[in-house]
Amino acid sequence: MEKIRARLNIGSKSEPVKLRKRKSQLYSKEETCPLDNGVLGVHVTVFTVAFRLINCFLVQTSFVPDEYWQSLEIAHLMVFDYGYLTWEWTAGIRGFSYPLFFAAIYKILHFFTYDAVQLLVWLPRVVQALLSALADIKLYCLIQSLEHSDVAKWTYLCQLCSWFTWYCCTRTLTNTMETTLTTLALYYYPLPGSKTHSSTKYLILVALAVIVRPTALIVWLPLLVFHFWQEDNKLKLITHLCLPIGALTLGISTLIDCIFYGKWTLVQYNFLKLNVFHNVAEFYGSHPWHCCLAHKEFRFIYPVLPFCMVFCGIALVNLRTWRRPAACALLVSNLVPALYTGLLHQRGTLDVMGHLQTLCDDSDPSTPPLPEVLFLMPCHSTPFYSHIHCPMKMRFLECPPDLTGDKSYVDEAERFFADPHHWLRTSFPYKSMLPTHLVFFDVLEMELSAFLDGNRFMRSTEIFHTHVPEGRVGKSILVYQRH
């Protein structure tokens, strides 16, 4: 830690200390990282990649709707337009730059006719897992260059042990990509005396992180100010790096959004206007006043987790006598929640899509009625066509925020849960209009029993979802089929 403080040179503008030359990769001018020692006899790069790929396939649960609705669903719509959603609402205020990354993957699969549903589901996650592995390696290399090798090793261990990193780092979330880009940018950040720094590379990565998720600026603003304060040629930094990189990145992002929206659109302005000025995010839940914005989620602070791992590594090194017992306790205490949240908690919303996908394979287009699915669940509870990949008719309860200022506005999902029978009667006045399948959480079964019996719906499947049901989310997901 003392070495890091010395490199930051806080409170002093003195000349940097000149290091004497040594025949070591650590003191070479090239961007190198001594990874030869390996982990359990395996090279660090190979071990990290293998670890994150295993991580990817052992996370079989859902986390939040944004995992699909601000990435894979938009990408699927961009490549395989089934006409089920509009650009305006699907992209929301995040824009198309991040979904375009996955759309490119989908386009390649489609071009080579390998667009099987399992590849559409898993390949984006595998790519994200590889990017996360790269970030892990760069974090290790950065600490190796700034601190003692023991600190780097224990920081690396803490990074791999973190259950929340395990839970999030292979998901197609904007927060995950933001964290990956932040870690990579930190590797190139110009700390005094760093052998890996590159102002151009780190500023490009920061710009990309802000484009993916504008809140990344909150993390980077103090570091950007510190860089500006330490820089001798401040004018050159602004005119030759910051302005060109910022303008080019914003320009390309805006061009992409304008092309897909079909009109002039500045997504970053929309993000600021809706989330800060109009506080639309509060529509999806609010929390106490401390932390400033009303709508808060744990994933919002995920990008600072790699920073925390450095302090965890330093703490383990300083324990000395109790280091190994503490490391074992750390491993065990993180292993249990990692496996539970990755394999069990909230897996039903993915499993039910796998079940419904079989309807595509079983149905015969020449023999009506074709499958038609209605999700009577909190909106965006499940992924959609990115996990079905066939033009089967599906519908869910929508909950778009009100942008008109109408205080009496109630979204469709709220109207349904307020009086399910009334909503069903008015939405389907004739039995011929009813869907062939209904999907809902088990907490609704008793309330819908009269409607289900009266319209010849019978339970066909029950799928486990969570051990801790809450509110409108039940322990299981039920699929009813009309006979």
Side-chain angles (χ1 to χ4, degrees):
M1 193 64 188
E2 296 302 323
K3 292 183 180 179
I4 294 178
R5 290 198 188 97
R7 291 180 187 277
L8 290 176
N9 205 23
I10 297 175
S12 173
K13 298 293 288 185
S14 59
E15 292 295 322
V17 177
K18 294 183 179 180
L19 299 175
R20 60 191 178 91
K21 294 182 179 179
R22 296 185 184 181
K23 295 180 181 179
S24 168
Q25 288 184 332
L26 179 61
Y27 292 89
S28 66
K29 293 183 179 179
E30 300 176 358
E31 291 181 9
T32 58
C33 179
L35 298 173
D36 297 333
N37 293 333
V39 180
L40 301 176
V42 182
H43 193 278
V44 168
T45 301
V46 176
F47 180 86
T48 308
V49 170
F51 183 85
R52 286 306 176 202
L53 288 177
I54 294 171
N55 182 172
C56 176
F57 291 107
L58 287 183
V59 174
Q60 303 170 16
T61 57
S62 62
F63 182 18
V64 289
D66 288 1
E67 185 177 354
Y68 316 104
W69 289 94
Q70 290 183 355
S71 55
L72 298 186
E73 291 305 327
I74 307 173
H76 191 272
L77 179 57
M78 294 165 79
V79 179
F80 313 100
D81 187 359
Y82 291 165
Y84 58 92
L85 293 169
T86 62
W87 291 126
E88 194 74 33
W89 175 234
T90 310
I93 52 178
R94 295 281 186 260
F96 292 91
S97 300
Y98 181 60
L100 190 62
F101 173 70
F102 299 109
I105 298 173
Y106 284 175
K107 194 67 176 179
I108 293 170
L109 291 174
H110 180 58
F111 180 80
F112 289 104
T113 65
Y114 283 117
D115 53 327
V117 66
Q118 290 300 322
L119 280 176
L120 295 179
V121 170
W122 285 103
L123 188 56
R125 292 198 53 198
V126 167
V127 172
Q128 184 60 65
L130 294 176
L131 291 174
S132 295
L134 176 62
D136 293 337
I137 294 166
K138 290 297 186 182
L139 179 65
Y140 174 84
C141 291
L142 175 65
I143 305 306
Q144 184 87 315
S145 68
L146 295 178
E147 276 283 348
H148 192 272
S149 60
D150 280 352
V151 176
K153 291 175 182 177
W154 290 106
T155 299
Y156 176 77
L157 174 67
C158 293
Q159 175 71 0
L160 297 192
C161 283
S162 169
W163 77 266
F164 193 74
T165 299
W166 172 281
Y167 186 57
C168 289
C169 74
T170 64
R171 297 184 183 275
T172 52
L173 276 166
T174 54
N175 308 90
T176 301
M177 184 62 77
E178 176 192 2
T179 303
T180 299
L181 292 171
T182 294
T183 306
L184 295 177
L186 191 64
Y187 176 77
Y188 294 108
Y189 183 76
L191 286 169
S194 171
K195 295 298 181 182
T196 64
H197 74 272
S198 169
S199 294
T200 302
K201 291 179 181 180
Y202 109 83
L203 286 172
I204 290 174
L205 290 165
V206 170
L208 290 174
V210 173
I211 291 298
V212 168
R213 192 171 180 84
T215 51
L217 192 60
I218 297 174
V219 175
W220 276 102
L221 190 58
L223 293 171
L224 291 170
V225 171
F226 178 76
H227 179 200
F228 178 78
W229 176 60
Q230 289 281 23
E231 187 67 31
D232 293 329
N233 194 337
K234 293 178 173 55
L235 182 61
K236 183 179 179 181
L237 174 65
I238 297 296
T239 58
H240 286 58
L241 290 176
C242 294
L243 289 180
I245 290 173
L248 181 63
T249 310
L250 181 62
I252 293 174
S253 172
T254 302
L255 179 62
I256 292 170
D257 293 328
C258 290
I259 290 173
F260 286 103
Y261 275 115
K263 62 181 181 180
W264 172 257
T265 303
L266 186 60
V267 169
Q268 288 71 29
Y269 170 72
N270 291 342
F271 180 90
L272 184 68
K273 179 178 70 174
L274 294 175
N275 277 308
V276 179
F277 298 149
H278 297 291
N279 204 16
V280 169
E282 190 174 356
F283 180 80
Y284 299 101
S286 60
H287 296 82
W289 61 268
H290 53 279
C291 297
C292 297
L293 294 177
H295 181 70
K296 293 175 277 290
E297 300 178 43
F298 284 114
R299 63 189 174 97
F300 292 171
I301 58 173
Y302 177 35
V304 304
L305 197 55
F307 295 82
C308 299
M309 295 302 105
V310 179
F311 295 98
C312 292
I314 293 171
L316 282 174
V317 170
N318 290 335
L319 281 177
R320 301 182 186 280
T321 305
W322 293 95
R323 185 185 305 167
R324 293 190 181 277
C328 291
L330 183 70
L331 177 62
V332 172
S333 62
N334 279 271
L335 182 63
V336 173
L339 293 177
Y340 178 76
T341 57
L343 293 173
L344 294 174
H345 181 60
Q346 296 185 168
R347 68 169 298 134
T349 50
L350 293 183
D351 290 343
V352 74
M353 299 311 288
H355 170 75
L356 294 175
Q357 204 278 328
T358 61
L359 298 178
C360 296
D361 302 328
D362 298 339
S363 62
D364 184 355
S366 63
T367 307
L370 297 176
E372 185 176 339
V373 182
L374 173 62
F375 294 86
L376 298 176
M377 312 167 80
C379 66
H380 304 120
S381 290
T382 68
F384 217 51
Y385 281 105
S386 67
H387 284 54
I388 296 292
H389 194 51
C390 78
M392 179 174 66
K393 189 173 181 181
M394 298 193 296
R395 181 188 171 192
F396 63 92
L397 302 173
E398 297 189 6
C399 57
D402 174 50
L403 303 178
T404 64
D406 183 5
K407 294 184 178 180
S408 62
Y409 170 77
V410 180
D411 63 65
E412 184 181 41
E414 287 296 329
R415 292 200 306 272
F416 167 77
F417 284 107
D419 191 343
H421 281 279
H422 175 73
W423 186 91
L424 289 166
R425 285 196 306 270
T426 55
S427 298
F428 304 100
Y430 305 104
K431 290 190 176 182
S432 60
M433 301 173 62
L434 287 168
T436 60
H437 293 76
L438 296 177
V439 182
F440 51 87
F441 286 110
D442 56 359
V443 291
L444 271 179
E445 188 174 31
M446 290 298 295
E447 192 169 1
L448 295 180
S449 59
F451 173 83
L452 297 170
D453 293 338
N455 291 282
R456 299 173 59 194
F457 279 98
M458 298 185 66
R459 185 198 292 187
S460 61
T461 307
E462 180 176 2
I463 297 173
F464 170 77
H465 181 60
T466 179
H467 289 110
V468 282
E470 182 180 8
R472 294 169 179 171
V473 176
K475 182 177 181 179
S476 303
I477 295 175
L478 307 179
V479 180
Y480 271 74
Q481 184 174 357
R482 190 168 179 238
H483 295 274

